[in-house]
Amino acid sequence: MLRILFFALVTVSAIGCGDGGLLGGDFRPDAIGEEGQMTVVIDSALWNGNVGEALRIHIGGGIETLPSVEPEFDLTAIGLTSNAIFDMVKERKNVLFVGLISSDSVSSSASLEHQYLNAIFSDDSVRQMINEGSPALVARPNQWRRSQLVYYLVGASSDDLIASLEDYSDELRYHYNTISRQRLHREMFDLGRQHDLEETIMNRHGFAVHGQHDYFIALDTTQFVWLRRTLTETWRSVFVYYEDQADPSKLNPEWMVATRDSLTQMYIGGTAGGWIEIDRRRPMTAQEINFKERYAIEFRGLWHMVGRENGRKFPFGMGGPFLTYAFYDESSQRLYLIDGMVFAPNFSKREFLRQMEVIAHTFRTLEETQPEGI
């Protein structure tokens, strides 16, 4: 039977991003919890069966472009066994309700998750559509707290739920990742943002990205700016490269790979004459995205340090994950490449790399910062 998503997916654009960060007039507490964690409210029988397996595959699936595969989201399954548990759920940042809708009245012996979802979806016409094989997927941003994203996925059978997860997992992950990036933006830049650093880059190059409090300009040269954050055991790196009067037809993954390797070999060297390049032995991904209202390609993979001895190239044994965005800016006729990479041995890399996403998404050109008419 043809399934339709009869509730429109609600985007998270209203949640708020940027420098203000707070929802106007909303004085409720912020949602709590670690980024990358998702609370799944689900009956234990569904979680321990095929529906739970589909959730682990399609929502919490492994990110293979990290040195050690990490889940895209850490899923925590919770049953509504008490009001105290429900109150805890209402505090969380990322919440996903998954369950079945009954065609008949719900008995008092039914699980609390089942009773709750049937009460939420009590409209007869809605229940009829669900029971005819059209699962419902509904977003409720800020339902109980600020900066919170709650989704409800309900169906008449386990097969319907699994099919919906297969069809709409990309949208779900996109919206949960987007709000995670928005929350992290506030955490990173509400305090200690380096406006002077940003102004320096803007004045010299006609673009800028946000400077977190402990980043510094490691290199600023023709068409290339490199920012770094170095700590005792880790470092993070963001560089931006651009080509003036560029040919937009060059924008493809092959150009990105070749350009990135050329730049890192030229500018980002290591010890003993080594340099950074993409590790082609490991998985790489490229996908078309909308980046700041521009067509762009997002490329992810792993970098490693290499060197040359007796005419032979060999790996030095250090490396980490990276992500690269490339796009053409029509107003400036520039081709841009923004790259973020992480070196963090003995640490989880997923959330470090999310910080690179946040910085990249603060990109703006001089024209975009000017009032209209100037």
Side-chain angles (χ1 to χ4, degrees):
M1 180 180 295
L2 177 65
R3 300 181 314 279
I4 59 173
L5 187 69
F6 64 86
F7 284 101
L9 285 169
V10 179
T11 66
V12 295
S13 59
I15 291 169
C17 185
D19 299 331
L22 296 179
L23 292 168
D26 189 345
F27 299 101
R28 296 176 298 170
D30 288 325
I32 62 174
E34 298 295 326
E35 298 298 347
Q37 291 186 347
M38 184 180 300
T39 300
V40 182
V41 182
I42 186 171
D43 179 88
S44 60
L46 290 175
W47 176 252
N48 294 323
N50 292 336
V51 174
E53 183 64 17
L55 284 163
R56 290 185 285 274
I57 291 172
H58 296 293
I59 306 299
I63 304 173
E64 296 187 353
T65 53
L66 295 175
S68 297
V69 176
E70 299 178 37
E72 185 157 359
F73 290 96
D74 299 312
L75 306 183
T76 300
I78 290 181
L80 299 182
T81 55
S82 68
N83 288 332
I85 293 294
F86 199 6
D87 288 341
M88 183 272 291
V89 168
K90 292 176 180 179
E91 297 175 343
R92 299 298 162 175
K93 291 178 176 178
N94 304 317
V95 182
L96 174 61
F97 286 82
V98 180
L100 301 175
I101 294 295
S102 300
S103 56
D104 302 320
S105 59
V106 180
S107 68
S108 58
S109 62
S111 68
L112 292 179
E113 303 86 31
H114 196 54
Q115 294 180 44
Y116 174 70
L117 290 176
N118 275 271
I120 292 292
F121 294 90
S122 59
D123 182 89
D124 289 341
S125 60
V126 170
R127 296 171 71 87
Q128 181 179 352
M129 294 182 71
I130 294 172
N131 285 307
E132 288 176 353
S134 297
L137 180 61
V138 181
R140 288 290 182 263
N142 310 304
Q143 179 161 2
W144 296 294
R145 289 197 169 198
R146 298 183 305 182
S147 300
Q148 180 183 59
L149 182 56
V150 179
Y151 264 101
Y152 294 88
L153 173 61
V154 297
S157 68
S158 294
D159 288 343
D160 284 346
L161 294 176
I162 293 168
S164 294
L165 287 168
E166 292 172 350
D167 290 345
Y168 302 114
S169 58
D170 286 348
E171 287 91 340
L172 280 168
R173 292 196 310 273
Y174 170 80
H175 290 305
Y176 280 115
N177 276 315
T178 298
I179 189 174
S180 292
R181 195 167 61 237
Q182 292 171 351
R183 288 187 299 245
L184 188 55
H185 179 283
R186 295 196 293 272
E187 180 182 320
M188 291 171 63
F189 298 115
D190 271 2
L191 296 174
R193 179 178 159 192
Q194 297 190 72
H195 294 276
D196 290 346
L197 180 148
E198 298 169 27
E199 185 176 354
T200 296
I201 298 173
M202 182 68 78
N203 290 338
R204 291 179 181 176
H205 299 278
F207 76 86
V209 293
H210 282 14
Q212 202 175 358
H213 67 95
D214 53 358
Y215 274 77
F216 63 93
I217 298 177
L219 181 63
D220 184 349
T221 188
T222 305
Q223 299 173 276
F224 182 86
V225 181
W226 180 25
L227 305 178
R228 295 194 71 192
R229 180 188 192 189
T230 58
L231 303 175
T232 304
E233 299 179 87
T234 69
W235 56 255
R236 270 148 274 182
S237 161
V238 176
F239 69 77
V240 183
Y241 166 76
Y242 59 92
E243 294 182 3
D244 287 314
Q245 303 299 313
D247 178 3
S249 67
K250 293 169 61 176
L251 183 56
N252 57 56
E254 292 74 23
W255 175 83
M256 295 174 68
V257 168
T259 301
R260 187 187 193 279
D261 275 351
S262 174
L263 293 168
T264 54
Q265 183 169 4
M266 185 182 308
Y267 296 124
I268 308 181
T271 58
W275 68 90
I276 284 174
E277 71 174 24
I278 294 172
D279 189 348
R280 290 168 174 78
R281 304 167 301 178
R282 303 293 299 275
M284 297 178 284
T285 63
Q287 63 174 335
E288 298 175 343
I289 65 168
N290 181 330
F291 181 84
K292 311 283 288 189
E293 303 305 318
R294 302 171 177 90
Y295 166 81
I297 298 174
E298 179 190 83
F299 193 93
R300 293 175 181 260
L302 294 170
W303 62 269
H304 63 161
M305 188 74 73
V306 298
R308 195 174 298 279
E309 185 176 280
N310 299 325
R312 182 180 65 87
K313 187 169 69 174
F314 63 95
F316 280 4
M318 66 177 294
F322 74 90
L323 65 90
T324 306
Y325 299 98
F327 55 88
Y328 179 73
D329 180 62
E330 292 187 5
S331 62
S332 62
Q333 297 184 345
R334 281 180 173 180
L335 200 57
Y336 277 96
L337 188 148
I338 305 175
D339 183 271
M341 59 180 160
V342 171
F343 178 66
N346 305 318
F347 290 89
S348 170
K349 313 296 191 297
R350 182 187 66 196
E351 297 308 314
F352 283 152
L353 204 61
R354 196 190 300 276
Q355 294 178 16
M356 302 297 98
E357 291 184 53
V358 171
I359 294 173
H361 278 81
T362 65
F363 172 88
R364 68 275 188 194
T365 64
L366 179 62
E367 181 180 70
E368 290 172 321
T369 63
Q370 299 295 326
E372 289 188 21
I374 293 180

